[in-house]
Amino acid sequence: MPLSRPARPCGTTLHSGRSTQAAVVESIIRQAAQAEPGVTVRAGVTITGILTRPGEVPVVTGVVTGAGEAIRGDIVIDAAGRRSPLPALLHAHGTRPAVTSSQDCGLMYISRYYRLRPGRDYPRLDTPIMAVLDWARAMAFPADNGTFALLATITAQDPLRRTLCTGDGFGRFHAAVPVVAPWIAAGQPISKLRAMTRLENRYRRLVDADGPIAGGVVLLGDSALHTNPTAGRGVSLAFAQAQHLATTLGQAADPVSYTAAFDAWTDTNIGVWYQPQAQADASLVRRMQAAVDGKPSPPPEPAERLRLAIFSAARTDTPVAPALRRMIHLVSLPEDVIGNETVRTQLGALLAARPELTARAAGPSREEIAACA
């Protein structure tokens, strides 16, 4: 996909499929790490325990491998992901519990990859390509090498999940959503349908109201924060956090103070993305579930409406759009954008003039999709 396109309101983006992204990102990071002096990559080694130095605040001094080998270090970095065992390992050494905020999103994603048919092109390149219905969401994601993905989002308990998990039901649903229908016409399936459940938002910290629960250890990437993957923030936030780690680690004279300082920076720059996502997801699920139960769908609550407004307004050519795009792409913090009175005023004026930006998208009802089953 050429990146030398003329400037457009959406800016320039680089799209890739998840499998491509994982292969490229992980390969490049591994090569870069192995080229660093003093770095030893030990693939296939599991960590089953930690080493600590007792004290009022225990200090983590290393790890224990599955083979029983002790590896010591000045700072231990937990990048083991959202299911990291570190909180349990710390608690087993007598620390206070890690501070965890978590939310079951209550959503289910069903996706499939397609390849453009001969002679066809991407219907659109700006993102997100999304239709928000009362009971579901439909999305299209341009990818690399003439491929793209389609995604259906419903509540995890919606009986229609069985229909949408079939090729016919999935195709009929997207073909009935006007904003996504051109994608179905432009492509042909190249993958099986895949479902993703047990989606969570979770923010974990090693500092509570009394200070650090342990020293000499930090949480990095999904170990610290992971949110609904639709927003696509995971890799970007992890890189930002890793960059801060790399630029400050050499000044970590005291392990307890460093853990506290790193947590404070993370809370200001990374953790700030948790609450808005959790609130927006909770509002979305309440509206979807009302439709499943046959009740009138309540209007979006402030957090969800604001999120929809931001994505829509960011794709306009209005004065507020550049600031919103900077926030969407994590260049600016939410409080610096939404907390700015000028931005709020411009956004409010835009929504008042163009209410269609947050209106329910055109698409099929649950009854229409059920009738096709």
Side-chain angles (χ1 to χ4, degrees):
M1 184 175 297
L3 294 181
S4 57
R5 296 183 287 123
R8 300 173 58 190
C10 67
T12 297
T13 60
L14 176 64
H15 302 288
S16 71
R18 283 194 178 274
S19 58
T20 309
Q21 182 186 57
V24 172
V25 171
E26 292 177 12
S27 173
I28 291 173
I29 292 176
R30 176 178 286 268
Q31 291 176 43
Q34 290 176 322
E36 283 290 317
V39 171
T40 301
V41 177
R42 305 194 39 192
V45 175
T46 58
I47 302 300
T48 58
I50 58 174
L51 304 170
T52 60
R53 184 171 67 241
E56 183 177 350
V57 178
V59 174
V60 177
T61 59
V63 296
V64 179
T65 71
E69 178 187 6
I71 304 175
R72 299 186 180 275
D74 297 319
I75 297 288
V76 172
I77 303 162
D78 172 19
R82 61 194 180 108
R83 293 190 175 90
S84 168
L86 180 66
L89 295 176
L90 286 171
H91 200 50
H93 281 253
T95 72
R96 303 187 302 276
V99 179
T100 303
S101 300
S102 63
Q103 175 202 51
D104 180 351
C105 295
L107 297 170
M108 179 179 185
Y109 290 166
I110 308 164
S111 63
R112 191 173 209 176
Y113 269 96
Y114 295 75
R115 185 176 301 281
L116 290 171
R117 297 180 187 276
R120 302 299 293 267
D121 201 354
Y122 295 103
R124 281 169 46 188
L125 289 179
D126 56 324
T127 57
I129 300 155
M130 177 171 62
V132 179
L133 312 180
D134 288 340
W135 64 281
R137 286 193 305 191
M139 300 183 73
F141 295 92
D144 58 296
N145 294 310
T147 65
F148 62 90
L150 296 182
L151 173 75
T153 305
I154 56 175
T155 69
Q157 304 304 318
D158 191 333
L160 278 183
R161 65 186 184 276
R162 297 179 180 87
T163 298
L164 292 178
C165 282
T166 66
D168 185 61
F170 188 82
R172 285 178 180 269
F173 168 68
H174 285 94
V177 179
V179 73
V180 180
W183 294 83
I184 282 282
Q188 51 192 6
I190 58 172
S191 76
K192 297 179 180 179
L193 284 164
R194 299 188 183 277
M196 180 187 296
T197 57
R198 297 179 61 192
L199 299 170
E200 295 179 313
N201 294 309
R202 179 180 294 159
Y203 178 35
R204 187 183 289 124
R205 303 180 62 185
L206 299 181
V207 175
D208 61 16
D210 295 322
I213 66 170
V217 60
V218 298
L219 303 175
L220 187 68
D222 281 2
S223 293
L225 174 75
H226 70 88
T227 55
N228 185 330
T230 299
R233 297 186 182 123
V235 171
S236 298
L237 289 177
F239 273 137
Q241 197 183 20
Q243 184 178 43
H244 178 73
L245 176 72
T247 56
T248 60
L249 197 55
Q251 303 147 23
D254 175 65
V256 176
S257 297
Y258 186 76
T259 296
F262 189 82
D263 177 270
W265 183 91
T266 297
D267 194 46
T268 299
N269 296 277
I270 307 297
V272 69
W273 297 98
Y274 173 81
Q275 199 61 38
Q277 185 69 54
Q279 291 172 342
D281 285 346
S283 174
L284 175 65
V285 169
R286 277 192 289 271
R287 289 198 302 110
M288 286 182 169
Q289 191 59 48
V292 173
D293 296 337
K295 301 176 181 177
S297 181
E301 294 182 10
E304 186 191 356
R305 185 172 185 273
L306 179 62
R307 185 166 183 265
L308 293 173
I310 288 170
F311 277 111
S312 297
R315 289 160 52 187
T316 67
D317 57 359
T318 56
V320 74
L324 298 178
R325 287 198 293 268
R326 288 178 62 84
M327 183 178 70
I328 289 172
H329 293 290
L330 311 178
V331 179
S332 299
L333 294 175
E335 63 184 33
D336 296 334
V337 177
I338 303 304
N340 184 290
E341 185 175 350
T342 300
V343 172
R344 289 202 310 271
T345 301
Q346 291 178 349
L347 183 59
L350 177 64
L351 296 179
R354 298 179 58 182
E356 74 276 7
L357 289 176
T358 56
R360 177 193 182 277
S365 66
R366 293 187 70 259
E367 292 72 23
E368 289 171 328
I369 295 299
C372 294

